Amino acid sequence: MFIAILSAFLVIALMGLILGLGLAVADKKLAVTKDEKLVQLEENMPGANCGGCGFAGCSAYAEAVFKGEAEIGLCSPGGSALAQKMGEIMGKSVDLTQEKMVAYVHCRGNKDVTETQFSYSGLEDCNAAYLLQAGPNACKEGCLHLGSCMKVCPAEAIYKNSEGFIVVDPDKCIGCGKCTGVCPTGVIRLIPASATYVVACNNHESGAKVRKECKVGCIGCKICEVKFPSSGCHVTSFLSSIDYSADHSQLAEACEACPQKCIVKR
Amino acid sequence: MSYIAIIITYVFIQNFILVQFMGLCPFIGVSKNSESALGMGMAVTFVTAVASVVCYAVYTYLLIPFDLAYLETISFILVIAALVQMVEMVIRKMSPSLYKALGIFLPLITTNCAVLGIAIINIDEGYNMLESFFAGLAAGLGFTLAIVLMSNIREKLELTPVRRWFKGVPIAFISAGLMALAFMAFDSSLLTNLHLA
């Protein structure tokens, strides 16, 4: 009886010992060494894996920076704080003038103000709708309200509000630009987070055409550009856009004067 | 039993996932894309093949002489756990991308009952060492076959309009059930027809 217990104990203990030693040796032999700097870089990453930097994920970008293949400061979720930190780790000076960018849907069109050409009842997906005559709206550059951008947003910052508009929450937005890539009409673009006024239209057609298509579209009348030279507004191909780097002290007046009211306060 | 008969038995007739319902956790968990499914299948194949041989050796040369056959289960688990650790280290060294794709499921091979299952089946069937090796290899290949088929089906399902309440795992379970039904068609008459039995 005692011998049986002892032999069972010894056999299992011996097996455990041999296997354990084998593993210990293998661990030493097969150890993956990581550079201290790379570990630090990875630890400081935001970990959203949004891909806004153009790499497969946070650790892929950290590795690219570590190897010197990528610039510091491509990470928009991390912003300038991360860029500074990465610069410290890598021992490089970093240009911190880049401002945080957020996505904005440049459209105020909906069923009431925008003409529709047909009613769409297919897949709940902007790109699917866009395959049919570039969508049901008469305006081919506006928001389709089907929320493809909502599905790709890694920060869940995009939602449909009670009136059916697609809205980006600027506090949650990390500026990765995934939504701008998936949007078939290009109506979502990145704007500086500090911007107070936005031209909420994306239609590049002439004024007469825009009037037929939508009640709230920019008709390219140039009032903002001509009457308020320091509003930062420039009209190119019948669409006003704001140059946020230029002087835009008169933007509030331009907003007031816009006949279509498409320069809006955020 | 010839080696070919053993391989056909464990790949088709006694397929671990679809007939014996062993190792279902990674079958659902890692079958989302075919690349990592193949990687998982290969890892399991390696583990089952080596574990079969090592467990056979432990049983025959260690447990039987000391009259400790009742320690079969615990000693097999010990061996398998160590083996899986080893496989994990090798994969981490050789292929970091596969290591990331397999994630938590790599350590879970330890508790994959298919591995313990084949080790115990080898003993129960009275296979010798070479037969055990082929049985282990075939069990892994059968696992790989099932998980790769499943991952391809699930990749197709991703693009198919599926009712919302069936989307994801539920439709995968239904597909798995249908696959199991299909595999039930393989029985011992397959061996007779191939003139192997």
Side-chain angles (χ1 to χ4, degrees), chain A residues 214-229:
Chain A
C214 179
K215 287 178 190 157
V216 292
C218 174
I219 52 174
C221 63
K222 293 204 174 185
I223 288 178
C224 47
E225 184 179 350
V226 176
K227 280 198 176 170
F228 306 100

Side-chain angles (χ1 to χ4, degrees), chain A residues 138-232:
Chain A
C139 169
K140 298 303 178 195
E141 293 170 292
C143 181
L144 293 164
H145 302 110
L146 292 167
S148 287
C149 46
M150 284 153 58
K151 286 176 212 153
V152 295
C153 182
E156 294 181 1
I158 312 180
Y159 61 96
K160 206 177 222 176
N161 71 8
S162 51
E163 291 160 52
F165 288 111
I166 305 288
V167 186
V168 182
D169 185 341
D171 297 329
K172 282 191 192 164
C173 179
I174 56 176
C176 67
K178 273 199 166 177
C179 45
T180 62
V182 78
C183 180
T185 64
V187 72
I188 302 190
R189 296 192 301 269
L190 296 178
I191 57 166
S194 61
T196 43
Y197 288 92
V198 189
V199 178
C201 183
N202 191 42
N203 195 317
H204 291 85
E205 300 207 75
S206 64
K209 261 189 154 174
V210 174
R211 277 185 198 277
K212 276 184 199 152
E213 289 170 357
C214 179
K215 287 178 190 157
V216 292
C218 174
I219 52 174
C221 63
K222 293 204 174 185
I223 288 178
C224 47
E225 184 179 350
V226 176
K227 280 198 176 170
F228 306 100
S230 46
S231 66

Side-chain angles (χ1 to χ4, degrees), chain A residues 41-63 74-78 82 151-156 174-179, chain B residues 100:
Chain A
L41 282 178
E42 281 182 357
E43 275 171 2
N44 281 305
M45 283 294 175
N49 289 319
C50 66
C53 50
F55 290 89
C58 288
S59 56
Y61 176 52
E63 212 172 302
L74 295 181
C75 179
S76 37
L82 176 69
K151 286 176 212 153
V152 295
C153 182
E156 294 181 1
I174 56 176
C176 67
K178 273 199 166 177
C179 45
Chain B
K100 264 183 210 155

Side-chain angles (χ1 to χ4, degrees), chain B residues 58-123:
Chain B
V58 165
Y59 187 81
T60 319
Y61 302 116
L62 200 64
L63 299 185
I64 293 293
F66 288 101
D67 202 16
L68 293 171
Y70 63 91
L71 288 178
E72 184 185 66
T73 313
I74 187 173
S75 49
F76 284 7
I77 286 177
L78 203 61
V79 169
I80 291 164
L83 263 177
V84 172
Q85 276 295 311
M86 191 76 98
V87 172
E88 193 181 341
M89 285 177 202
V90 171
I91 290 182
R92 192 175 57 199
K93 180 84 177 173
M94 301 296 172
S95 166
S97 56
L98 181 63
Y99 179 73
K100 264 183 210 155
L102 295 181
I104 181 71
F105 293 100
L106 209 49
L108 278 182
I109 300 180
T110 317
T111 51
N112 188 338
C113 58
V115 184
L116 182 63
I118 190 65
I120 290 177
I121 285 172
N122 286 333
I123 305 302

